[in-house]
Amino acid sequence: MDKMMKWVDAIRTITAPFGDPIGEIENEEVERVMVAESSVRGTFNPEAALEFHELSQVQVFAEMLRSSEEIEYIEIEVAPDFDLLLQFKGGEQERYQLWLGQPNRPSVITKFGRDDVVYKIPEHTTNRLIEILGLNT
């Protein structure tokens, strides 16, 4: 058994630079994302038009959260583009409203119910969101 574990550790060491998709699946906290078209700021649309549950898909939304930075002194007067429901492992859910930017431009997001805190999403993440939402056509 020890020999087998040493062999497994050796393979993991050799393949580590190429990524670990199994580990990514286990480590990614977001399990599912539901996207609805938004109509009014402060009102959440529960009618999901799109649903994502594959690792490559949910990673885009997880990256959206990880790459966002709080920005101060901004007030948004237009309605958001999308309402997002992110479901995490363990069943916890979080709701967000997204103002999607143009390609190569930042976007902004707020956690639903926390309109006083606005987060900027970088350009590269905006591009990935546009792609996953099928808006690049």
Side-chain angles (χ1 to χ4, degrees):
M1 185 68 166
D2 285 338
K3 220 177 200 186
M4 175 69 141
M5 291 310 293
K6 286 180 184 179
W7 182 75
V8 169
D9 286 340
I11 289 180
R12 284 183 177 161
T13 302
I14 292 168
T15 60
F18 304 106
D20 178 11
I22 294 171
E24 287 180 22
I25 291 169
E26 292 173 359
N27 293 332
E28 185 57 69
E29 291 296 317
V30 178
E31 284 187 324
R32 184 172 70 157
V33 178
M34 290 174 278
V35 180
E37 190 173 336
S38 190
S39 57
V40 179
R41 184 177 185 174
T43 302
F44 196 85
N45 180 1
E47 301 295 323
L50 298 170
E51 187 172 326
F52 303 101
H53 50 81
E54 293 179 19
L55 176 64
S56 62
Q57 297 169 330
V58 299
Q59 280 182 323
V60 174
F61 296 93
E63 173 64 20
M64 174 191 72
L65 296 180
R66 286 191 282 267
S67 67
S68 65
E69 294 180 12
E70 185 176 344
I71 51 178
E72 297 181 13
Y73 311 113
I74 185 170
E75 189 170 320
I76 304 170
E77 296 183 11
V78 296
D81 297 305
F82 298 100
D83 294 335
L84 309 174
L85 177 66
L86 279 68
Q87 182 175 323
F88 297 87
K89 287 183 180 175
E92 183 182 340
Q93 296 181 346
E94 292 182 358
R95 298 185 297 174
Y96 294 89
Q97 292 195 299
L98 169 67
W99 288 260
L100 188 64
Q102 296 298 313
N104 302 311
R105 305 289 296 171
S107 297
V108 294
I109 192 167
T110 60
K111 191 167 185 179
F112 186 74
R114 289 292 319 266
D115 294 345
D116 58 324
V117 183
V118 178
Y119 297 91
K120 177 181 154 188
I121 300 167
E123 296 84 355
H124 70 276
T125 305
T126 295
N127 293 343
R128 292 189 69 205
L129 287 166
I130 289 170
E131 184 178 322
I132 195 90
L133 293 170
L135 302 173
N136 57 347
T137 56

